[in-house]
Amino acid sequence: KNQVEQSPQSLIILEGKNCTLQCNYTVSPFSNLRWYKQDTGRGPVSLTIMTFSENTKSNGRYTATLDADTKQSSLHITASQLSDSASYICVVITVQTGANNLFFGTGTRLTVIP
Amino acid sequence: NAGVTQTPKFRILKIGQSMTLQCAQDMNHNYMYWYRQDPGMGLKLIYYSVGAGITDKGEVPNGYNVSRSTTEDFPLRLELAAPSQTSVYFCASSYWGQGRGDTQYFGPGTRLTVL
């Protein structure tokens, strides 16, 4: 069964600290993996997209890693800011045609406190 | 560009009522999608469209209908609203399908409550 699991469910960190969010998946066959940031009351916004051959991709203070062999990804946030408070969603896409090929995790709720 | 816009932002319906959630994009995207997001759950695909005049069911289509008469607009129709349809609804669009690694752009969402 195609599944995407994220951990932790929620996380509280102090401003300026780093953190790492985890995503494990069983989706197959794999096409690409994305991380989205979703602010409260807003739609998700894409942070990174990684294909099978990519094992690291950065977007500012956000760095995503992918290990396609172990089917694990992580999102590392450096020098956190209050504006990083949001839900972070991992999405894995299969190579099937159509649009029934996106599998969403339930997200990690990050709170950055001063 | 305005990106993906959705109206209304909030709506309360009574059981059995009907309504249409509007979605529009001005990026000339081929693909458009409707998702629902329930508390503590991942987004679920309701319907999608690969171009004007072409729509197909997603994972949870029951109780909904869509149409795509233009590239820009993709309305979602709820007939006979039920409490199980209480959710936040997101419209999204992309130029190509997601298997090609294309970025998906989301609207701000519509929060629907059915009482």
Side-chain angles (χ1 to χ4, degrees), chain A residues 43-112:
Chain A
V45 175
S46 179
L47 292 175
T48 62
I49 299 175
M50 287 188 293
T51 60
F52 185 87
S53 59
E54 298 173 300
N55 54 25
T56 302
K57 184 163 276 190
S58 292
N59 178 359
R61 293 179 296 102
Y62 301 102
T63 299
T65 66
L66 173 64
D67 186 334
D69 291 332
T70 61
K71 298 189 177 182
Q72 296 180 325
S73 177
S74 65
L75 181 69
H76 186 74
I77 304 175
T78 304
S80 61
Q81 300 176 357
L82 297 178
S83 60
D84 293 331
S85 295
S87 286
Y88 291 84
I89 301 171
C90 175
V91 186
V92 183
I93 292 87
T94 72
V95 297
Q96 298 166 353
T97 57
N100 264 331
N101 58 351
L102 286 80
F103 296 89
F104 288 80
T106 56
T108 292
R109 176 72 203 173
L110 174 65
T111 303
V112 181

Side-chain angles (χ1 to χ4, degrees), chain B residues 25-81:
Chain B
Q25 53 89 12
D26 61 357
M27 297 174 282
N28 200 32
H29 283 172
N30 297 309
Y31 286 69
M32 295 187 74
Y33 317 78
W34 273 106
Y35 293 94
R36 59 178 287 171
Q37 186 177 38
D38 298 326
M41 305 289 286
L43 277 76
K44 301 286 186 184
L45 182 66
I46 304 171
Y47 269 96
Y48 68 98
S49 168
V50 301
I54 307 170
T55 63
D56 206 348
K57 296 178 181 179
E59 185 180 356
V60 290
N62 291 346
Y64 307 94
N65 277 300
V66 294
S67 60
R68 184 109 180 260
S69 56
T70 67
T71 300
E72 294 79 20
D73 301 297
F74 191 39
L76 177 71
R77 178 82 177 163
L78 277 73
E79 305 281 3
L80 299 174

